[in-house]
Amino acid sequence: MEEAKNESRKDSKARKIRSSLIVGGVGGAFWAMLHYVAYYMNFTKIGPSIYVAPFFQSDAVNRPLAQLAGVGVATVLSMGIALAYVFSLAEFYSPWIGIGLGIGMFGIFYYGVSPLLALTKKPIHVLGMNTFATELSLYILWGLFVGFSLSTEFSSKKEADR
């Protein structure tokens, strides 16, 4: 009996890891590519290459290779954040948790990490309203996608188990 419970816990943990990596990867890739499209169409002055800016020379940061490398890094970061989310917040079934995730990640990145690593020359709120609104919207939509997808996945599994 005890062995069956341990096996069930292992399966549950493996399912959570697998689901979080898939949802985080798909969400990260999709929203980072949409970020690139928004940058290309001049909705924002910041492209996804901001995630790899310390590793590229300043003149190469705006090139397509750096943008695509940024999409890759954003995808991997999204997978890590989704993994942390599924083990901490996925039990709360609310879209507001995902929206809060997006706003929180926006704040951490643009008001914590970016100034610390000097990723942008100016704070995000000084770069213009279009850039600020676009970046905030993309983070909110990414957070909503990742958070609510995982919450739906695991709250529906919990309901099915009952």
Side-chain angles (χ1 to χ4, degrees):
M1 182 72 171
E2 188 66 34
E3 191 174 306
K5 282 185 180 181
N6 285 338
E7 196 65 35
S8 176
R9 284 187 198 129
K10 285 180 185 177
D11 288 344
S12 174
K13 195 173 188 178
R15 188 176 72 238
K16 283 184 175 185
I17 291 171
R18 186 175 51 252
S19 294
S20 65
L21 292 177
I22 290 170
V23 170
V26 169
F30 178 79
W31 293 106
M33 285 302 294
L34 200 59
H35 187 191
Y36 185 35
V37 170
Y39 171 75
Y40 184 76
M41 296 178 70
N42 293 321
F43 287 114
T44 178
K45 295 176 185 173
I46 301 170
S49 65
I50 191 168
Y51 302 114
V52 294
F55 306 107
F56 280 84
Q57 295 175 354
S58 61
D59 60 332
V61 170
N62 295 325
R63 293 194 179 144
L65 179 63
Q67 300 297 341
L68 293 176
V71 169
V73 169
T75 301
V76 171
L77 289 173
S78 178
M79 292 166 76
I81 293 167
L83 195 58
Y85 181 90
V86 81
F87 286 109
S88 59
L89 297 170
E91 64 192 39
F92 301 108
Y93 183 74
S94 172
W96 293 106
I97 303 295
I99 291 170
L101 173 68
I103 292 170
M105 290 290 95
F106 174 84
I108 289 169
F109 185 75
Y110 284 110
Y111 292 104
V113 175
S114 183
L116 186 66
L117 298 177
L119 299 177
T120 57
K121 291 179 175 59
K122 299 176 185 175
I124 184 80
H125 60 274
V126 177
L127 290 175
M129 190 54 146
N130 286 344
T131 296
F132 184 83
T134 301
E135 296 293 323
L136 181 60
S137 297
L138 287 169
Y139 270 84
I140 288 172
L141 290 170
W142 165 81
L144 181 62
F145 176 83
V146 169
F148 202 54
S149 295
L150 291 172
S151 292
T152 302
E153 170 82 14
F154 292 108
S155 67
S156 65
K157 296 279 190 224
K158 223 181 257 186
E159 293 295 319
D161 292 342
R162 287 184 191 168

